[in-house]
């Protein structure tokens, strides 16, 4: 399933509802691709990140504590140490 900006315009409570639905789909073995600019949502819902530049995947990595700084850098939050 491909979701394009599924949390756009939603408040926190409804963002969490979408996150829960994605978790149910993942647990059922359904592959879910989320396109989003919502950092908080990505950290909550995703286990892998694909950075897209010029219409192509420029980088792909699992989302975990070790790679979180890389995601933060792409959102302009922090530099990789």
């Amino acid at each position: 399933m491909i979701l394009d900006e599924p949390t756009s315009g939603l408040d926190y409570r409804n963002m969490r509802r979408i996150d829960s639905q994605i978790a149910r789909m993942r647990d059922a073995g359904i592959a879910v691709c989320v396109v989003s600019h919502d950092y908080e949502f990505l950290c909550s819902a995703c286990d892998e990140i694909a950075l897209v530049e010029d219409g192509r995947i420029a980088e792909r990595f699992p989302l975990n504590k070790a790679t979180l700084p890389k995601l933060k850098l792409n959102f302009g939050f922090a530099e990789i140490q």
Side-chain angles (χ1 to χ4, degrees), residues 16-81:
R16 296 298 300 165
R17 288 177 66 196
I18 298 294
D19 182 24
S20 294
Q21 289 292 350
I22 290 171
R24 282 189 202 106
M25 288 186 281
R26 181 181 54 235
D27 293 346
I30 299 169
V32 181
C33 175
V34 176
V35 178
S36 183
H37 294 93
D38 186 332
Y39 173 80
E40 183 177 72
F41 176 67
L42 292 172
C43 288
S44 176
C46 299
D47 55 12
E48 186 173 338
I49 299 293
L51 302 174
V52 178
E53 294 177 7
D54 298 323
R56 297 185 182 274
I57 295 176
E59 188 173 1
R60 190 173 152 188
F61 54 90
L63 184 58
N64 54 44
K65 286 183 180 183
T67 61
L68 190 58
K70 189 182 299 193
L71 181 61
K72 283 183 175 182
L73 180 64
N74 280 277
F75 278 85
F77 292 145
E79 294 183 26
I80 294 177
Q81 303 277 331

